[in-house]
Amino acid sequence: MATSELHPYSKTGGLADMVAALAKTLAQKGHRVGIVTPLYRGIRVKFPELRPFDWQMALPLGGEIIPAQVWTTEPVKGLTLYFVDRPEFFDRPGIYNENGADYADNAARFIFFSKAAVHLARYLPWAPQILHIHDWQTGLVPMLVQHQRLAEGWGKAVPVMLTIHNLAYQGVFGAEAFALANLPSDWFNTGTAEFHGALNLLKAGIATADTITTVSPRYAREIMTEEFGCGLDGLLRHRAEVVHGVLNGVDYEEWNTEANPHLKFRYSARHLAGKTRNKTALQRELGLPVNARVPMFGSVTRLAEQKGVDLLVPALEEMLGHSMQFVLLGSGDGRYEHSLRSVARRHPQKVAVRFGYDHGLSHRIEAACDFLLMPSRFEPCGLNQMYSLRYGTVPIVRATGGLDDSVVDPSENKQEATGIKFSEYSPAALTQALRKALALYRSKPALRKFRQQGMAADFSWDATAARYVRLYDGLLK
Ligand code: ADP
């Protein structure tokens, strides 16, 4: 596999969790898995077990030859990680951006990374049979593989699977960046990497990968429509035969309430008292009035347009007259930070917000809250709602993508309901869902049933990994 993020080494979102968990599950099932990922700043300090790999790489990147080192470690048997070490590209404070601005050389950084992944796939002595790539950062890989097969004697070139974690991020650069790929210039055309005159790395991947997956069945259908297709719906319809929607799983070794180093109090579906204690502990931590009985809503999210912060703020304004608390952990766009801070300033007894990336706090919020809000405009899979279910926290979600696939609303199945869904993308629709949540909170037996149903739901990786294995098998035939 090749990925630009890998939990616990680097992460901005669900991509990091998905690749780590899929790879671990495959390895546990007896497959041999390698993951190629960049060596970002701080990884070697935090993970001193990384060893230098006896490997010299010097790869062309446009007119230059760029050397890189590789570091390696084997976190579980059968899984080897290969960290591509090129300080000029990856020893920086951010992964993709800094102070809100994308790094100007992202095309060079990730085209180089893609080349390193192909190089390892080709020359590693254990000869991987398939290369599974993720998102735009590795989108050029299938073309690089194809070129090495046709022009550079790689007779047994690997088939390539692309997983799209989010179609909204495509890696679009000026057309001149295609020269960094060192591919024949006529390979840059509208059937491959060219998109309205620009270089589009995700498009290259979609056009040329052997198989494509995305992270939920509903999102797989949505991205073939104009509304969700981000300009690539036509191409995706054209490739529909090789596009599969596979709902991500959850790593329950990491996301559980019974043995979790991030939680002060353990609890289970049968013994929920610990959940309430986590709630009062969080109230203390965030400086909110300590009250076990007040309904607590929460959100852990990237602050991006996708995530529906522009619904959240007006809906909160509308609802904060009620007895409730709201806590949020977010990182991203400063505009949203500003509006959330302003809500918190005006309602210090009810709202607490924290900005930045904090893994431990994300667990504590999931555990403490009664309800978790995900009013996303679109959501390829979404992991937090599945974490919430396991944590006995009722998700309130917009019925889109993986949110729709993983949460059951009472209107769909009264007996098996696990959450509250709304459809229209509007503050009024979210407000109405929040009202439903408050009503549910008042009815203790109903709330208990939602929680128990959610905590029993099983999104473990076993079934999901088995699905990937079937798709890999298909590629090898
Ligand atoms: P996306 O990948 O679009 O960001 P997902 O729901 O698939 O959304 O995955 C989000 C992941 O990132 C979850 O594991 C969530 O807990 C985590 N996360 C998001 N924002 C933060 C943050 N500010 N601090 C810690 N974890 C975060």
Side-chain angles (χ1 to χ4, degrees), residues 37-217:
T37 193
L39 185 80
Y40 296 111
R41 176 173 294 177
I43 292 180
R44 274 188 49 217
V45 177
K46 212 167 148 204
F47 299 91
E49 66 272 25
L50 264 60
R51 309 178 302 279
F53 188 51
D54 183 17
W55 195 276
Q56 286 308 321
M57 235 189 314
L59 304 171
L61 187 70
E64 289 181 83
I65 301 288
I66 309 268
Q69 242 193 303
V70 176
W71 296 78
T72 185
T73 185
E74 195 176 312
V76 284
K77 193 167 171 295
L79 171 62
T80 313
L81 312 184
Y82 302 93
F83 292 88
V84 176
D85 182 9
R86 175 68 195 164
E88 173 197 332
F89 286 151
F90 303 124
D91 185 8
R92 300 184 183 182
I95 293 184
Y96 309 121
N97 47 47
E98 216 176 299
N99 304 323
D102 284 345
Y103 289 124
D105 60 348
N106 273 347
R109 297 171 77 220
F110 291 106
I111 289 175
F112 178 75
F113 172 63
S114 300
K115 290 187 169 191
V118 173
H119 187 79
L120 283 157
R122 182 169 180 183
Y123 294 108
L124 277 174
W126 57 276
Q129 293 172 284
I130 288 167
L131 187 45
H132 185 168
I133 59 170
H134 300 268
D135 278 353
W136 69 263
Q137 295 84 349
T138 50
L140 209 56
V141 161
M143 288 175 73
L144 295 169
V145 169
Q146 211 169 347
H147 188 253
Q148 295 197 18
R149 181 169 65 85
L150 294 174
E152 295 174 15
W154 189 6
K156 288 193 179 144
V158 286
V160 180
M161 176 186 290
L162 164 69
T163 295
I164 304 169
H165 296 257
N166 195 332
L167 190 67
Y169 300 90
Q170 300 184 355
V172 177
F173 304 96
E176 69 287 352
F178 186 72
L180 296 167
N182 303 87
L183 292 171
S185 57
D186 61 345
W187 281 34
F188 183 68
N189 58 61
T190 53
T192 59
E194 183 180 348
F195 186 66
H196 300 297
L199 168 65
N200 182 322
L201 295 178
L202 184 63
K203 185 184 173 202
I206 294 172
T208 60
D210 297 289
T211 294
I212 298 163
T213 74
T214 188
V215 289
S216 72

Side-chain angles (χ1 to χ4, degrees), residues 62 66 68 113 139 188 237 239 256 268 294 307 419 444 449 467:
I66 309 268
F113 172 63
F188 183 68
R237 285 194 298 275
R239 300 231 61 202
N256 75 81
S268 64
V294 69
K307 300 294 180 178
K444 293 297 170 212
K449 185 139 189 244
R467 196 66 217 288

Side-chain angles (χ1 to χ4, degrees), residues 391-451:
Y391 280 44
T393 305
V394 177
I396 299 173
V397 303
R398 182 154 177 270
T400 182
L403 298 175
D404 195 35
D405 285 334
S406 57
V407 174
V408 182
D409 183 86
S411 66
E412 296 169 293
N413 185 332
K414 199 153 194 245
Q415 290 312 313
E416 290 174 20
T418 57
I420 296 170
K421 285 185 190 173
F422 65 99
S423 293
E424 193 184 282
Y425 189 80
S426 71
L430 173 57
T431 305
Q432 204 192 0
L434 293 177
R435 283 188 212 285
K436 286 186 188 168
L438 288 178
L440 177 64
Y441 192 78
R442 286 192 293 270
S443 159
K444 293 297 170 212
L447 178 63
R448 198 173 315 118
K449 185 139 189 244
F450 267 66
R451 283 189 165 146

Side-chain angles (χ1 to χ4, degrees), residues 309 312-320 324 326 336-353 355:
V309 190
L312 198 55
V313 170
L316 280 175
E317 299 282 9
E318 174 90 22
M319 293 300 289
L320 281 169
M324 61 179 278
F326 174 72
Y336 297 125
E337 239 181 71
H338 181 78
S339 56
L340 286 159
R341 262 188 226 286
S342 144
V343 178
R345 243 194 329 267
R346 279 176 289 117
H347 303 273
Q349 299 292 309
K350 293 188 170 172
V351 177
V353 293
F355 300 107

Side-chain angles (χ1 to χ4, degrees), residues 11 13-14 17 301-302 307 329 331 356-358 382-384 387:
K11 172 166 165 178
D17 289 6
T301 184
R302 283 186 299 114
K307 300 294 180 178
L329 170 64
S331 62
Y357 191 86
D358 187 337
L383 292 172
N384 280 313
Y387 301 154

Side-chain angles (χ1 to χ4, degrees), residues 214-413:
T214 188
V215 289
S216 72
R218 177 159 173 174
Y219 192 61
R221 297 191 298 275
E222 286 173 343
I223 55 177
M224 293 185 198
T225 66
E226 204 182 327
E227 184 184 355
F228 294 95
C230 304
L232 297 179
D233 45 297
L235 174 61
L236 282 157
R237 285 194 298 275
H238 177 67
R239 300 231 61 202
E241 255 175 51
V242 298
V243 177
H244 307 268
V246 184
L247 191 71
N248 280 342
V250 172
D251 183 351
Y252 290 123
E253 281 176 27
E254 165 95 28
W255 292 92
N256 75 81
T257 58
E258 291 178 79
N260 185 330
H262 303 293
L263 301 185
K264 264 206 177 119
F265 304 100
R266 55 176 66 184
Y267 63 97
S268 64
R270 291 250 228 86
H271 302 102
L272 278 167
K275 181 165 176 68
T276 311
R277 287 200 185 143
N278 282 310
K279 174 163 152 183
T280 48
L282 187 71
Q283 288 168 332
R284 239 171 254 122
E285 178 182 343
L286 299 181
L288 288 169
V290 177
N291 176 355
R293 285 209 292 268
V294 69
M296 184 188 264
F297 295 76
S299 193
V300 177
T301 184
R302 283 186 299 114
L303 298 175
E305 193 193 348
Q306 169 196 345
K307 300 294 180 178
V309 190
D310 48 345
L311 298 192
L312 198 55
V313 170
L316 280 175
E317 299 282 9
E318 174 90 22
M319 293 300 289
L320 281 169
H322 296 270
S323 167
M324 61 179 278
Q325 291 180 342
F326 174 72
V327 299
L328 174 137
L329 170 64
S331 62
D333 195 325
R335 277 179 305 150
Y336 297 125
E337 239 181 71
H338 181 78
S339 56
L340 286 159
R341 262 188 226 286
S342 144
V343 178
R345 243 194 329 267
R346 279 176 289 117
H347 303 273
Q349 299 292 309
K350 293 188 170 172
V351 177
V353 293
R354 293 290 180 275
F355 300 107
Y357 191 86
D358 187 337
H359 188 65
L361 183 57
S362 75
H363 279 265
R364 296 197 292 283
I365 289 178
E366 285 281 5
C369 286
D370 299 294
F371 300 96
L372 183 104
L373 299 178
M374 292 183 79
S376 305
R377 190 182 288 270
F378 64 92
E379 194 59 77
C381 176
L383 292 172
N384 280 313
Q385 81 282 7
M386 295 197 269
Y387 301 154
S388 302
L389 290 172
R390 183 47 60 103
Y391 280 44
T393 305
V394 177
I396 299 173
V397 303
R398 182 154 177 270
T400 182
L403 298 175
D404 195 35
D405 285 334
S406 57
V407 174
V408 182
D409 183 86
S411 66
E412 296 169 293
N413 185 332

